[in-house]
Each structure stands twice: as C-alpha cells, then as structure tokens.
C-alpha cells in the first residue's frame, strides 16, 4: 500500500493532463484531415528524399515508437509538477501549431508500390491503408519523439543508458519516417524543431504556470467528487 501511495502521489496528478494530450493529438490529426481533406496538398519531396532508399523493415521502429511515447511521457510526469506542466504546455501548443499547418498548408507525398511478401511489407501495407499521406508537416511522429528525449534529457534520476537510448531512438524514428515514405526530410526537421522551440519558449515565459493552475483546478474538482 505504501508503494501504491508513493506512485499515486508522484504520477496520479498527471493522469488527466496526459489523457488530454492524447485526445488533442487525435483531434488535431483527424480534424485537420477532415477540414483540409479536399484541398490541394503540397508535395515537399526533394532530390534528397528521392535518393534515400526505401526500407520496409523500418516499419517496426515506426510502430514500436508508441510504447516509447507512453513510457517517456510518464517519465516527464515523474520529474515534478513544475517541470511537467512546462512539458505539457509545450506539447499541447506544438499540437495546436501542427493543426494550423495541417489546415492552412496541407502536404502530401508519393508512396512507392509495395512489392514482396515479407511481414514488414504486409505491415507497411496495413499502415498505408489506415494512414493517408496527409498531415505530414510537421511530423507528429518526430515531434512526439523529440519530446520523449526532452523528457529525460539532463536528468540524473534517469539512467544514463536510457537517456542515450532516448536520443538515438528519437533519431531512428525520424529516419524510419523517410525510409518507409511516411514523411520527407523537411517534415522531420520541422517536427524536431517545433518540439524544441516550444520547450524553450515555455521555459522562458513561464506561461505554463497558467496551464498548471487550470489542471490543478480540474484535479481538485475530481478529488472532491470522489470523496463525496
């Protein structure tokens, strides 16, 4: 029971905020696609993108990243409320900026014909079938992954090997998006840069304190209802 209370105290406050960022992610992605679905989409593919080899095997990294996101976002919550609400504010704002890009500057790319009968090709075919070539700039996959690195960067309470892993894996996820033709190079740069800029912005402005007050009021009301 003491262990449960310890983790409840450390992470419990972050349940609603974390759920809200995943909810906003869906609203941004599907909302942007619904609004801009019939508009002209710009193709930002460059000669560099055309020279990058198509490697279906990278679909495994592309898909396993969802577990990486969950783990590192929870780790961000374990670094204290002030840190976490700065992190959350940067994340939510970055997603809203993505929405503006998806609506007012929709992008697309050309996917290759899938040849072969390997598991990776089948997985990639399934991915293509559920994920249209839209909402590409900035890459949410890359943005989320850089936020995952930010969540552990410079933290002495996180093992050094995992901090290094998070940095390397964030880059591998970025590379996977172009190796399987889900994104182009510019999408990767925009996703990484957006996450870093928002993190730095909220560190300097302290606007995240307003976000903290908002969620603490929500958590307080939930606690009141549960105690009745």
């Amino acid at each position: 029971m003491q262990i449960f209370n310890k983790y409840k105290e450390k992470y419990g406050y972050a349940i609603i905020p974390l759920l809200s960022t995943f909810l906003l992610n869906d609203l941004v992605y599907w909302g942007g696609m619904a609004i801009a679905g019939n508009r002209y989409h710009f193709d930002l593919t460059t000669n560099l993108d055309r020279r990058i080899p198509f490697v279906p095997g990278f679909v495994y990294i592309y898909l396993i990243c969802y577990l990486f996101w969950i783990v590192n976002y929870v780790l961000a919550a374990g670094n204290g409320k002030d840190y976490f609400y700065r992190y959350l504010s940067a994340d939510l704002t970055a997603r809203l900026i993505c929405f503006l890009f998806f609506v007012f500057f929709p992008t697309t790319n050309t996917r290759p014909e899938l040849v072969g009968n390997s598991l990776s090709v089948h997985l990639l075919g399934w991915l293509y079938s559920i994920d249209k070539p839209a909402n590409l700039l900035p890459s949410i996959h890359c943005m989320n992954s850089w936020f995952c690195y930010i969540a552990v960067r410079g933290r002495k309470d996180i093992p050094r090997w995992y901090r290094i892993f998070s940095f390397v894996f964030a880059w591998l996820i970025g590379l996977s998006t172009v190796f399987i033709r889900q994104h182009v190079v510019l999408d990767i740069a925009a996703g990484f840069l957006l996450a870093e800029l928002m993190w730095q912005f909220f560190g300097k402005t302290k606007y995240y304190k307003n976000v903290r007050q908002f969620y603490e009021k929500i958590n307080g009301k939930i606690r009141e209802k549960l105690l009745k």
Side-chain angles (χ1 to χ4, degrees), residues 157-176:
D157 60 319
I158 302 293
R160 185 171 181 270
W161 70 264
Y162 191 77
R163 283 180 274 145
I164 294 173
F165 165 80
S166 294
F167 175 78
V168 173
F169 198 60
W171 276 102
L172 284 175
I173 292 169
L175 291 174
S176 76

Side-chain angles (χ1 to χ4, degrees), residues 82 85-86 89 206-214:
D82 214 41
Y85 283 113
R86 174 187 171 186
S89 301
K206 310 299 181 182
Y207 289 143
Y208 66 87
K209 293 183 182 295
N210 297 323
V211 175
R212 175 175 178 171
Q213 290 176 355
F214 171 76

Side-chain angles (χ1 to χ4, degrees):
M1 184 61 69
Q2 289 182 345
I3 294 177
F4 174 78
N5 289 333
K6 175 184 177 182
Y7 282 100
K8 181 181 177 182
E9 177 66 24
K10 190 173 183 179
Y11 297 102
Y13 77 95
I15 293 175
I16 298 300
L18 285 174
L19 288 176
S20 70
T21 190
F22 289 121
L23 175 62
L24 181 60
N25 183 78
D26 285 344
L27 292 174
V28 164
Y29 186 82
W30 296 111
M33 193 170 291
I35 294 172
N38 295 322
R39 295 181 184 174
Y40 177 79
H41 283 54
F42 298 89
D43 190 338
L44 303 180
T45 303
T46 65
N47 287 331
L48 174 60
D49 293 294
R50 297 184 185 95
R51 291 172 183 161
I52 295 173
F54 173 57
V55 187
F58 269 85
V59 69
Y60 300 112
I61 291 177
Y62 186 88
L63 293 176
I64 202 174
C65 70
Y66 291 96
L67 178 60
F68 177 58
W69 295 346
I70 292 171
V71 170
N72 282 43
Y73 271 63
V74 171
L75 287 175
N79 199 31
K81 292 184 178 180
D82 214 41
Y83 176 94
F84 175 70
Y85 283 113
R86 174 187 171 186
Y87 185 85
L88 181 75
S89 301
D91 177 270
L92 294 176
T93 305
R95 292 182 196 282
L96 292 174
I97 292 174
C98 285
F99 178 74
L100 295 177
F101 272 93
F102 297 163
V103 171
F104 296 106
F105 190 70
T107 54
T108 188
N109 68 348
T110 301
R111 289 171 170 173
E113 179 182 355
L114 296 179
V115 179
N117 198 36
S118 66
L119 178 59
S120 58
V121 168
H122 284 297
L123 281 174
L124 195 51
W126 170 76
L127 178 62
Y128 283 178
S129 70
I130 65 170
D131 189 20
K132 296 180 180 179
N135 292 349
L136 303 186
L137 179 75
S139 165
I140 290 182
H141 246 72
C142 295
M143 184 188 78
N144 288 352
S145 300
W146 196 252
F147 271 125
C148 284
Y149 171 57
I150 290 174
V152 300
R153 184 173 62 190
R155 288 178 57 180
K156 302 302 182 183
D157 60 319
I158 302 293
R160 185 171 181 270
W161 70 264
Y162 191 77
R163 283 180 274 145
I164 294 173
F165 165 80
S166 294
F167 175 78
V168 173
F169 198 60
W171 276 102
L172 284 175
I173 292 169
L175 291 174
S176 76
T177 67
V178 292
F179 281 134
I180 64 173
R181 298 298 188 265
Q182 281 290 92
H183 287 280
V184 297
V185 170
L186 185 58
D187 302 334
I188 300 175
F192 284 170
L193 184 61
L194 179 57
E196 187 63 39
L197 286 176
M198 290 302 98
W199 171 251
Q200 297 299 333
F201 173 78
F202 280 97
K204 293 180 179 179
T205 61
K206 310 299 181 182
Y207 289 143
Y208 66 87
K209 293 183 182 295
N210 297 323
V211 175
R212 175 175 178 171
Q213 290 176 355
F214 171 76
Y215 279 104
E216 287 183 340
K217 286 182 180 178
I218 293 177
N219 284 334
K221 290 181 179 179
I222 291 175
R223 280 195 298 270
E224 288 177 4
K225 289 185 177 181
L226 291 175
L227 292 173
K228 285 183 179 179

